[in-house]
């Protein structure tokens, strides 16, 4: 049975290497909590608030962070595998070098985020907000970026192969040195108004 924990506040706690399994946190607040090297599997955090939480080197497998807010959190070397973060928001967070494999990050707000050198592979990121985000040297391969907000984002030298770039406008997004495949090049060219002959 999954343990339901709701409307609680957890503050100034050392949960180093804590293992989270079979728990459902609903509308909880986590403030100044150390989750360094913690792990979560199948755990659900729903409408939770994370403030000044250290996720350094933490591992998350098939976990869900639904409509959560992360403010001034540190994700140094954190890994998310098959996780669902639909509708969550990140503000003033340290996200490098975050690694994400699979899962659903649709409707996530990462506006202005520093994502240099991060890795997102096979992730669903429909309608994600990357406005003004710095994704230089990042790896975003096989990512669904359809209807994403990319205005002012920087993808210089990023690996974008296999990702949906239908929302990419090269006139308002820095893409110098970015790596794409031939099929994607046609999509980008058509978005710029070119007719492919």
């Amino acid at each position: 049975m999954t343990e339901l924990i709701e409307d609680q506040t957890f503050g100034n706690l050392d949960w180093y290497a804590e293992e989270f399994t079979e728990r459902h946190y609903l509308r909880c607040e986590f403030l100044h909590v150390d989750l360094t090297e913690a792990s979560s599997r199948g755990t659900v955090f729903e409408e939770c608030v994370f403030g000044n939480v250290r996720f350094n080197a933490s591992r998350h497998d098939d976990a869900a962070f639904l409509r959560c807010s992360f403010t001034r959190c540190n994700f140094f070397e954190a890994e998310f595998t098959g996780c669902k973060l639909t509708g969550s928001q990140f503000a003033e967070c340290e996200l490098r070098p975050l690694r994400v494999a699979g899962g659903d990050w649709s409707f996530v707000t990462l506006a202005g985020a520093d994502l240099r050198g991060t890795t997102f592979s096979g992730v669903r990121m429909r309608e994600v907000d990357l406005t003004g985000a710095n994704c230089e040297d990042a790896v975003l391969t096989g990512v669904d970026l359809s209807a994403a907000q990319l205005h002012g984002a920087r993808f210089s030298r990023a690996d974008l192969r296999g990702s949906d770039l239908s929302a990419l406008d090269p006139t308002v997004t820095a893409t110098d040195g970015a790596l794409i495949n031939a099929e994607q090049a046609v999509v980008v060219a058509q978005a710029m108004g070119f007719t492919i002959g």
Side-chain angles (χ1 to χ4, degrees):
M1 290 289 294
T2 299
E3 178 186 5
L4 176 62
I5 304 163
E6 55 184 322
D7 299 311
Q8 292 193 31
T9 297
F10 303 91
N12 299 296
L13 295 172
D14 183 358
W15 284 353
Y16 179 87
E18 179 82 7
E19 295 184 7
F20 295 86
T21 57
E22 304 299 324
R23 299 182 205 173
H24 183 173
Y25 292 91
L26 177 62
R27 297 185 303 274
C28 291
E29 291 190 27
F30 301 84
L31 308 173
H32 298 278
V33 177
D34 186 357
L35 291 174
T36 299
E37 295 193 20
S39 62
S40 65
R41 180 178 294 276
T43 298
V44 176
F45 299 88
E46 186 176 357
E47 297 179 10
C48 291
V49 173
F50 297 85
N52 294 286
V53 174
R54 289 194 292 275
F55 288 91
N56 302 9
S58 60
R59 303 288 179 268
H60 309 275
D61 296 280
D62 301 315
F65 296 81
L66 307 175
R67 299 178 301 283
C68 293
S69 66
F70 302 87
T71 304
R72 292 184 294 279
C73 296
N74 195 318
F75 291 87
F76 179 76
E77 291 195 341
E79 292 186 4
F80 291 83
T81 303
C83 294
K84 189 171 185 178
L85 279 86
T86 313
S88 290
Q89 302 180 25
F90 293 81
E92 301 177 59
C93 292
E94 295 289 337
L95 297 165
R96 304 172 58 206
L98 177 69
R99 290 184 292 276
V100 181
D104 192 345
W105 286 53
S106 297
F107 307 101
V108 168
T109 299
L110 287 161
D114 185 354
L115 295 168
R116 290 174 296 164
T118 57
T119 299
F120 290 81
S121 59
V123 186
R124 182 182 171 92
M125 299 181 77
R126 292 179 61 86
E127 297 191 46
V128 67
D129 186 355
L130 288 170
T131 304
N134 188 345
C135 302
E136 294 178 353
D137 300 301
V139 174
L140 295 114
T141 52
V143 173
D144 181 359
L145 288 169
S146 55
Q149 298 178 51
L150 306 175
H151 189 92
R154 286 171 280 173
F155 292 99
S156 301
R157 301 174 304 282
D159 185 350
L160 303 173
R161 288 175 294 178
S163 293
D164 184 328
L165 301 179
S166 56
L168 179 68
D169 180 352
T171 64
V172 294
T173 307
T175 57
D176 50 298
L179 182 60
I180 60 175
N181 59 34
E183 183 178 340
Q184 291 169 299
V186 171
V187 172
V188 173
Q190 289 174 331
M192 295 179 69
F194 286 102
T195 298
I196 309 299

